[in-house]
Amino acid sequence: MQGKLTIDPSNQIAKVDDRLYSSLIEHLGRAVYDGLYDPDNAKSDENGFRQDVVKAIKDLNIDLVRYPGGNFVSGFNWEDSIGPKDQRPTRLDLAWRSIETNQFGLHEFMKWTQQTGTRPDMAVNLGSRGIDAARNLIEYCNFPGGTYWSDLRKKNGAEQPFNIKTWCLGNEMDGDWQIGHKTAEEYGRLAHETAKVMRLVDPDIDLVVSGSSTREMATFGSWEETVLDHTYDDVDYLSLHRYYDNEENDLHNFLAKSIDFDEFISGIVAVCDAVKARKHSDKTLNLALDEWNVWYHSHKQDDETAPWQNAPHLLEDHYNFEDALMVGTMLITLLKHSDRVKIACLAQLVNVIAPIMTDDQGIWLQSIFFPFMQVSKYGRGIALQPKQESATYDSKDFKDVPYLDSMAVYNPDTHEVVIFAENKGEEAMDFTTTLTSLTTTDLIEATQFYGYDIKQTNEDQRMQIQPNDHVSLDQGTLTTTLEPLSWNMFRIKVAD
Ligand code: AHR
């Protein structure tokens, strides 16, 4: 089997936004408690922050962390999470039918972002609450001082404002599972009014309005149109969420779902641009894919978990090798859409549908950790339009699926072109990449991630990225073999 990628540095998609490598921490299951915050654990510091988790997050080069949810935010009183810990109320978390002690709250989260080198992406509750709670929260976080809420922040130990830049206007408000679910009309009006008031407190914030929670919603498309009719001029990003599964146990159909992902993003871009045209607007709205991942292994566990526990085991998917290939092809798809997708949050980060898992003894890294880490580390710079040739296959739901999925990013700061390539086939692929009008000098690194059973998970920590020693680079053409079912990366030095 043959695969070919041609790259021309003058054919650029966009500069990749650092926020493409973001994530989500929700008060859900063991994400916060037992995950990033575990005061009784020997691996935690004096704040109760697990230091092994902090290190793994740094290795992932995460930029924004969306917080505190997810569905959780739609029933959350942010005021419960500030002030002396022994005075914070324990509440029912109705989204996940758990107990929330509020021992990790707003100030702890802000301190934790500093330690992890991440930035906050704060969601406001537009489910059970609304404009008043949102304006008070932003005054508490971003107003310098001299008012009730900003002085309370100082009293609680933060003299300087948090200056949180990015704010989400609720979460998945189109879903009837959401606390305070609304029609598009109701949500659009509320989002508009909330945005207006939040900007009166701090005009410099970026706002994300909630789009459809899945492509399968009956209101998909019309939800976005109605919501944007109300909010197009108020917001900076439209959110979208996408999770994939392999419930049907069909590897090739599963990996072909990157085509659905691609069409999903293009469709939402088209809706945004249609609203732009109708409004005769000069503004182009970008996307925040603020939840994406594979999610399905834990559905049975979730159904069987007893309600009203502290930090229950929920959504603890153990990812296998085929999931890592799916995450790899989703990352390539994101890079192809980096002209419009500016924020993307791998959902989630610790223990809950996450690349990092904890137990009392330490952490273990899931299969999906590896492709994410590589793209997050090296997929920085300018995404180049890929011109690809590959044999194709048909699967249950998709036609003409290329076996090869590939993408290149040119980093002018480090003078390197980085190629990500996935072979979705069960045969080895002869792979060539030609870099036109760039003088290549050296192959810096070539790696491959392959050879595991597709159902193998990584609790025993045996999975690792391996070097690929069979690569030749000659006058701008890289030649190698992509192993069957493999994720690959090549870093090539180019002359100035
Ligand atoms: O990430 C898990 C859940 O998925 C989030 O709480 C919700 O927004 C989505 O449905």
Side-chain angles (χ1 to χ4, degrees), residues 43 68 129 146-147 164 166 172 195 203 211 216 239 249 256 260 282 285 339 352 380 413 419 432 467 472:
K43 294 193 183 288
R129 304 193 73 190
T147 64
I164 297 175
T166 311
E172 293 190 349
E216 286 72 33
S239 90
N249 194 18
D260 174 274
D282 291 335
L285 198 67
D339 55 335
V352 168
R380 310 263 177 173
D413 298 332
I419 293 154
T432 53
S472 79

Side-chain angles (χ1 to χ4, degrees), residues 24 26-28 66 68-73 95-96 171-172 177-178 213-214 241 243 290-292 295 315 347-348 352-353:
L24 162 64
E26 177 165 3
H27 282 253
L28 193 185
R66 187 166 167 250
N71 295 340
F72 171 81
V73 77
W96 299 104
N171 177 71
E172 293 190 349
W177 60 88
Q178 200 70 213
S213 49
T214 80
H241 292 176
Y243 295 99
D290 54 22
E291 290 184 30
W292 71 272
W295 174 14
L315 278 69
Q348 300 193 7
V352 168
I353 43 174

Side-chain angles (χ1 to χ4, degrees), residues 398-439:
F398 302 94
K399 289 228 169 320
D400 302 325
V401 184
Y403 283 106
L404 174 67
D405 196 9
S406 60
M407 184 64 202
V409 178
Y410 169 55
N411 188 331
D413 298 332
T414 57
H415 305 284
E416 60 182 272
V417 170
V418 183
I419 293 154
F420 302 104
E422 183 164 303
N423 178 3
K424 298 183 182 181
E426 275 157 300
E427 274 175 45
M429 179 186 288
D430 295 330
F431 177 64
T432 53
T433 296
T434 306
L435 292 92
T436 57
S437 62
L438 271 178
T439 308

